[in-house]
């Protein structure tokens, strides 16, 4: 039997999703897209999962589309990759961004093409110091996809985003952290320990409140200050009605650690 292209585990309120095609640096095939879509859908419908962690097996995180599936013999028609974006990459990014809980990405090695932009679609990105981020698309005549043209300029500013996307140069994990592209770079041998500890920590936090923070941040990209102030009022109304808010206040006044349930 062949290895599953995506590994999926649940423990302590954390779902861990591992891209698992290490021989090609976890590049995407139709099969791996389907397996990832299934994992993301299982996470979305499981109320016991309060944090998701995405990583890659082997020495790379993800090298984007598997280019073996894009070779065209002379005289053959070009593949319809717009359809591939519509059917697989866009739903993947929408599914990741749509998860209500915090999504951590542990970038264990090179993240190129759609692999880089999948990482940037996550809420908190930790990267091994040896990892690199490459907007590789321009090197094969493509446009960055998987939300990269939306995410990257917002993270690093338009000047850096334009150069990264037009030159396809690798950005080290430390540089990425310095530029605000990711949360932080950590030693290679501590990446998974730190990412798992962070995921478990978040899974024990007031996760309904964290989901509302995600909604506020997502909306802020398209809102005016006035609209955002109104949204903050509405989200705070919801947050203020949660059991976790009541518990947080009680625990503070009792001078004891809170016991959050995510409700
Ligand atoms: O088509 C659509 O549906 C549209 C969607 C597009 C989304 C995209 O992501 S387009 C961008 C596709 N990705 C790339 O262009 C990146 C290609 N890979 C690289 O440039 C390099 O491999 C890396 C910079 C990522 C890593 O370099 P390095 O030197 O660390 O590793 P390597 O030796 O190049 O790769 C290791 C193996 O993985 C190697 O196989 P081998 O020689 O050991 O048998 C290499 O061929 C394979 N590999 C790496 N990336 C891909 C790949 N095989 C297939 N597809 C890949 N994308």
């Amino acid at each position: 039997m062949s290895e599953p292209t995506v590994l999926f585990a649940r423990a302590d309120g954390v779902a861990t999703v591992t891209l698992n095609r290490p021989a090609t640096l976890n590049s995407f095939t139709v099969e791996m897209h389907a397996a990832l879509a299934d994992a993301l859908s299982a996470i979305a419908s499981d109320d016991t999962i309060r944090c998701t962690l995405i990583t890659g097996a082997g020495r790379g995180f993800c090298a984007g589309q598997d280019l073996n599936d894009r070779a065209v013999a002379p005289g053959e028609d070009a593949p319809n990759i717009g359809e591939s974006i519509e059917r697989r990459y866009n739903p993947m990014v929408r599914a990741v961004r749509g998860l209500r809980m915090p999504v951590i990405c542990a970038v264990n090695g090179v993240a190129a093409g759609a692999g880089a932009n999948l990482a940037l679609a996550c809420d908190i990105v930790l990267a091994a110091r040896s990892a690199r981020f490459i907007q590789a698309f321009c090197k094969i005549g493509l446009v960055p996809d998987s939300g990269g043209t939306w995410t990257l300029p917002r993270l690093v500013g338009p000047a850096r985003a334009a150069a990264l996307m037009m030159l396809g140069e690798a950005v080290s994990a430390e540089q990425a952290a310095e530029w605000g592209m990711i949360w932080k770079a950590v030693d290679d041998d501590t990446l998974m320990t730190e990412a798992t500890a962070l995921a478990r920590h978040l899974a024990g936090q007031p996760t309904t409140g964290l989901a509302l923070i995600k909604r506020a941040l997502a909306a802020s990209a398209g809102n005016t200050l006035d609209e955002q102030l109104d949204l903050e009022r509405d989200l705070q109304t919801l947050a203020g009605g949660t059991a976790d808010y009541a518990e947080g206040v009680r625990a503070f006044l009792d001078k004891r650690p809170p016991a959050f349930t995510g409700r």
Side-chain angles (χ1 to χ4, degrees):
M1 257 211 354
S2 58
E3 279 278 299
T5 54
V6 168
L7 307 176
F8 180 40
R10 304 172 222 222
D12 304 323
V14 176
T16 302
V17 176
T18 306
L19 306 178
N20 190 38
R21 300 187 67 243
T24 57
L25 304 178
N26 304 317
S27 56
F28 277 106
T29 55
V30 170
E31 186 190 356
M32 191 169 95
H33 268 296
L36 180 57
D38 285 349
L40 294 172
S41 157
I43 291 167
S45 59
D46 184 343
D47 284 346
T48 69
I49 297 176
R50 293 168 67 189
C51 184
T52 293
L53 171 59
I54 302 179
T55 191
R59 75 168 177 90
F61 170 66
C62 175
Q65 169 63 37
D66 187 324
L67 296 177
N68 293 304
D69 294 350
R70 291 294 177 268
V72 180
E76 269 183 23
D77 288 343
N80 184 347
I81 61 176
E83 189 196 352
S84 160
I85 300 293
E86 176 68 15
R87 291 182 56 186
R88 300 184 187 93
Y89 288 94
N90 285 355
M92 169 183 77
V93 172
R94 289 189 176 113
V96 169
R97 301 283 299 191
L99 287 176
R100 66 193 174 283
M101 77 282 289
V103 182
I104 298 172
C105 188
V107 181
N108 52 300
V110 67
N117 293 336
L118 167 62
L120 300 183
C122 298
D123 298 310
I124 301 181
V125 184
L126 270 68
R129 238 172 270 287
S130 67
R132 297 166 286 153
F133 295 81
I134 309 174
Q135 294 291 325
F137 309 87
C138 62
K139 296 189 168 180
I140 54 171
L142 288 186
V143 177
D145 57 37
S146 304
T149 58
W150 189 91
T151 317
L152 194 60
R154 286 173 166 78
L155 292 170
V156 301
R160 282 173 176 151
L164 291 176
M165 289 182 170
M166 291 186 185
L167 298 172
E169 283 183 9
V171 179
S172 70
E174 282 182 1
Q175 182 75 84
E178 210 173 290
W179 283 356
M181 193 196 295
I182 64 168
W183 167 232
K184 64 176 169 177
V186 302
D187 290 340
D188 287 26
D189 56 359
T190 63
L191 175 72
M192 285 318 289
T193 323
E194 288 202 35
T196 306
L198 180 61
R200 286 196 182 134
H201 165 78
L202 286 168
Q205 294 302 297
T207 33
T208 296
L210 298 184
L212 297 172
I213 291 174
K214 282 187 68 154
R215 278 176 56 186
L217 290 172
S220 76
N223 271 352
T224 62
L225 174 61
D226 259 348
E227 288 164 340
Q228 195 69 9
L229 287 170
D230 287 346
L231 179 66
E232 287 176 2
R233 175 203 57 217
D234 296 343
L235 297 179
Q236 202 68 301
T237 306
L238 296 175
T242 62
D244 278 345
Y245 170 61
E247 165 63 6
V249 173
R250 254 192 329 264
F252 175 78
L253 297 175
D254 294 349
K255 299 192 188 305
R256 62 169 171 81
F260 294 123
T261 60
R263 302 198 193 290

